[in-house]
């Protein structure tokens, strides 16, 4: 399935009430609509400045590998209703190759239509990436914070090596020759220190087989070394750098995701409908790690998603969210993160 085509369709529905109404209908019909985001292992081989793993205290605290039994329990409970399985959500999944491959295989066993893995990529070899592609991986997402060597190594952390990243690109190209259906996505986190380098993006990736490019503004996630979260310069670069790059990519057949508007106030949306939009995300987003496994309201392995939804009245919650007032939606949204709207070109 083309997950980006589906996202384009959803994005065309500008009224959040209609989006929730569609979600309610899909839920009632028992179709797939949830996104499962899972970190099979907590840890990272890099210490990117914009990530909480740049903080030594967080590195000591966020630890643990999910067992095969736990991974299987998650699959049993959620994968029959999963539309997209995302492996790697902040931690580095290639620290556990076997666990990641097992998740991909399980996802395909349960018929999950789209499986993506996000990584800095430097631990991948041609053999391991080929294993993942053979197991059914649909998309490999590479995190990148600089086009130039000095910026890449500064923002990706002291253990990062630009040459290793360049070698990774060659590995991906070779694997793509055997697995042409493997989508490759670049996630570029923009900030005041690296957005200007996007003018040279074509130099680095000129003949590289990218399928998707996401340009996302830096977000303050707490406990990171990076401190410049002022998006003024990124916003100023929309017309001079970001949109021209998007157009060049579009001409090459590359799908580009970038915000229609950079919110200088750290994504603190105030526009009408934003609360209801966040509810849509809240109903579809399921995150699992070693630390959250036993804290979940869903009883992994002993109940499936349909039983969980019936027990917790999710259908009723979605229906109420369609008709709730903005004030009521704001109360329901308490604790949910603001989302940034992406234009998909």
């Amino acid at each position: 399935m083309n997950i980006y085509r589906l996202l384009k369709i959803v994005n065309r529905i500008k009224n959040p009430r209609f989006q929730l109404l569609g979600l309610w209908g899909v839920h009632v019909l028992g179709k797939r609509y949830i996104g499962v985001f899972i970190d099979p292992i907590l840890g990272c081989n890099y210490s990117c400045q914009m990530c909480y793993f740049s903080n030594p205290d967080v590195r000591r605290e966020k630890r643990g590998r999910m067992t095969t039994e736990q991974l299987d329990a998650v699959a049993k409970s959620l994968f029959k209703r999963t539309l997209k399985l995302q492996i790697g959500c902040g931690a580095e999944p290639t620290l556990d190759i076997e666990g990641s491959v097992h998740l991909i295989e399980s996802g395909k066993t349960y018929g999950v239509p789209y499986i993506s893995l996000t990584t800095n990529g430097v631990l991948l070899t041609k053999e391991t990436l080929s294993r993942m592609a053979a197991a059914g991986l649909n998309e490999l997402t590479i995190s990148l914070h600089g086009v130039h060597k000095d910026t890449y190594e500064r923002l990706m952390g002291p253990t990062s090596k630009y040459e290793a990243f360049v070698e990774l690109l060659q590995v991906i190209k070779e694997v793509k020759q055997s697995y042409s259906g493997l989508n490759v996505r670049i996630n570029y986190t923009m900030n005041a220190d690296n957005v200007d380098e996007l003018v040279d993006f074509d130099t680095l990736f000129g003949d590289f087989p990218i399928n998707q490019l996401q340009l996302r503004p830096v977000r303050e996630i707490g406990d990171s070394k990076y401190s410049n979260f002022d998006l003024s310069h990124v916003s100023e670069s929309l017309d001079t750098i970001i949109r021209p790059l998007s157009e060049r990519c579009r001409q090459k057949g590359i799908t580009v995701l970038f915000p229609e508007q950079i919110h200088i106030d750290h994504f603190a949306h105030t526009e009408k409908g934003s609360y209801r939009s966040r509810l849509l995300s809240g109903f579809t987003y399921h995150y699992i790690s070693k630390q959250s496994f036993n804290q979940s309201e869903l009883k992994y392995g002993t109940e499936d998603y349909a039983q969980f939804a019936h027990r917790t009245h999710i259908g009723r919650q979605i229906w109420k969210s369609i008709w709730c007032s903005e004030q009521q939606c704001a109360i329901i949204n308490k604790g949910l993160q603001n989302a940034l709207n992406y234009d998909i070109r």
Side-chain angles (χ1 to χ4, degrees), residues 19-20 23 33-35 37 274-286 333 336-340:
Q19 291 178 339
L20 282 166
L23 179 65
Y33 68 85
I34 65 173
F37 295 74
S274 62
Y275 292 125
R276 194 170 276 105
S277 296
R278 273 183 275 164
L279 280 176
L280 183 71
S281 175
F283 285 127
T284 58
Y285 179 87
H286 292 261
N333 262 278
L336 293 179
Q337 285 190 338
N338 291 330
L340 187 62

Side-chain angles (χ1 to χ4, degrees), residues 2-161:
N2 189 326
I3 196 76
Y4 296 97
R5 187 175 300 159
L6 177 61
L7 288 173
K8 280 185 178 181
I9 294 172
V10 174
N11 278 4
R12 289 194 187 109
I13 305 173
K14 300 303 182 182
N15 190 320
R17 289 185 190 271
F18 290 153
Q19 291 178 339
L20 282 166
L21 184 59
L23 179 65
W24 179 81
V26 171
H27 174 80
V28 170
L29 292 173
K31 303 297 184 180
R32 297 178 181 272
Y33 68 85
I34 65 173
V36 174
F37 295 74
I38 186 166
D39 279 318
I41 184 170
L42 289 173
C44 192
N45 57 316
Y46 273 6
S47 54
C48 298
Q49 285 195 18
M50 292 177 282
C51 175
Y52 40 71
F53 278 113
S54 63
N55 185 307
D57 293 333
V58 174
R59 294 182 77 90
R60 285 190 292 268
E61 175 190 345
K62 287 186 178 293
R63 301 177 64 182
R65 183 193 307 261
M66 293 184 69
T67 65
T68 301
E69 292 73 22
Q70 288 175 327
L71 296 176
D72 288 342
V74 170
K76 182 179 179 182
S77 292
L78 291 179
F79 284 5
K80 288 182 181 179
R81 298 292 291 274
T82 299
L83 183 65
K84 179 185 177 182
L85 169 60
Q86 173 64 56
I87 305 169
C89 316
E92 178 50 56
T94 61
L95 289 172
D96 184 9
I97 293 292
E98 296 305 320
S100 296
V101 171
H102 185 74
L103 273 173
I104 297 168
E105 292 173 340
S106 296
K108 287 306 173 185
T109 297
Y110 282 94
V112 176
Y114 204 82
I115 302 176
S116 177
L117 183 139
T118 298
T119 172
N120 57 48
V122 296
L123 296 180
L124 285 174
T125 63
K126 183 177 180 180
E127 178 186 7
T128 54
L129 182 54
S130 296
R131 281 185 65 195
M132 291 178 177
L137 183 67
N138 298 106
E139 178 182 77
L140 177 70
T141 300
I142 304 297
S143 298
L144 176 67
H145 305 326
V147 174
H148 301 159
K149 173 181 169 66
D150 56 344
T151 305
Y152 176 92
E153 294 186 348
R154 175 164 51 87
L155 293 180
M156 300 291 282
T159 60
S160 65
K161 297 295 181 184

